[in-house]
Amino acid sequence: SPTGDSWGIFTFLCAALCNLPALPALNCSEELGAGQSIQQTYDLTRYLEHQLRTLAGTYLNYLGPPFNEPDFNPPRLARAERVPSATVDLDLWRGLTDNARLAANYRAYSRLLCYLRVLDSQVGTAELRHRLAHFCASLQGLVLSIGGVMSSLGYPLPAGPAGPPAPPGAPTAPNDFLKKMDDFWLLKELQTWLWRSAKDFNRLKKKVPPAVVTLRLEAREF
């Protein structure tokens, strides 16, 4: 009868469900996480590029002339060498391993973040402090995101935390102009780092497949 057939089908399904643990399990590949992490880091880098364009213009106007003039292009002073420089030969940079580039990005943004936080504490206007604090929070997210990419690819994080931008007792800028020059170079180097990092993560995401589900069978004893 139809009722008997329905009961038989129901009994069969219950028995099948009870025996599911004995079947091979389907698990997602770990490569999925790496692809997503790289894509998110690339998107965050591009967002920070856009955010910095507005912030840099506002901050340079705060510094005043000649720093906010479009053709102002001073030589880099020895004082600014403490800021991690992105002016590395592109062929040399591309010749590095993925691990080495990721580690360099991680270290650089950790140090740049320290400088920006000092900058934030010294700014005289509430609006600019708010913008700097928001940017620092985004940059902290980028540092964590790069660390996540390295972990997902099996790379260790660089040893030792990034220290403060200067040791206690280090001399400050001898005058206001040189202090502004330090700030100018900090923003300039940060722009170059973000521009290059966007290219790095764009190339890296082409190496690692995007969010495609890969299934793997795990053998189990019956």
Side-chain angles (χ1 to χ4, degrees):
S1 65
T3 303
D5 291 343
S6 298
W7 180 254
I9 293 172
F10 176 74
T11 304
F12 171 78
L13 290 174
C14 287
L17 288 172
C18 290
N19 286 282
L20 276 179
L23 298 176
L26 295 177
N27 290 325
C28 291
S29 169
E30 294 178 357
E31 291 179 357
L32 174 61
Q36 286 180 328
S37 184
I38 293 166
Q39 180 65 54
Q40 289 173 359
T41 307
Y42 170 76
D43 293 339
L44 181 55
T45 305
R46 295 306 305 269
Y47 169 72
L48 278 162
E49 275 191 291
H50 172 75
Q51 196 178 351
L52 183 61
R53 279 194 290 270
T54 302
L55 175 62
T58 303
Y59 194 84
L60 292 178
N61 284 332
Y62 168 75
L63 295 180
F67 301 96
N68 59 347
E69 296 173 359
D71 58 347
F72 183 62
N73 187 28
R76 181 163 176 154
L77 303 177
R79 288 184 45 78
E81 292 302 325
R82 292 181 295 126
V83 177
S85 176
T87 54
V88 178
D89 180 75
L90 283 179
D91 290 334
L92 178 63
W93 180 259
R94 290 171 183 169
L96 298 175
T97 64
D98 293 333
N99 186 8
R101 280 195 301 271
L102 286 167
N105 275 282
Y106 183 88
R107 284 191 298 265
Y109 289 121
S110 297
R111 289 183 58 198
L112 288 165
L113 181 60
C114 290
Y115 281 100
L116 280 171
R117 284 174 172 159
V118 172
L119 206 66
D120 184 24
S121 66
Q122 297 172 347
V123 169
T125 68
E127 179 185 358
L128 192 50
R129 280 199 305 271
H130 175 74
R131 290 192 179 191
L132 278 166
H134 179 65
F135 187 84
C136 284
S138 299
L139 191 62
Q140 175 67 50
L142 180 60
V143 173
L144 295 174
S145 190
I146 293 173
V149 170
M150 296 186 73
S151 297
S152 68
L153 294 175
Y155 301 145
L157 293 181
T172 58
N175 57 58
D176 187 57
F177 181 83
L178 290 180
K179 170 64 177 65
K180 290 181 178 180
M181 186 72 81
D182 289 347
D183 297 349
F184 174 85
W185 273 106
L186 172 61
L187 295 174
K188 192 175 182 67
E189 287 294 349
L190 187 53
Q191 285 178 322
T192 308
W193 271 105
L194 288 170
W195 171 81
R196 190 171 64 187
S197 294
K199 293 185 175 296
D200 288 345
F201 287 107
N202 189 43
R203 284 192 295 268
L204 189 59
K205 72 178 184 175
K206 293 175 182 178
K207 290 184 179 181
V208 179
V212 176
V213 176
T214 305
L215 299 178
R216 181 176 67 248
L217 289 177
E218 287 186 355
R220 293 187 179 180
E221 295 182 359
F222 288 92

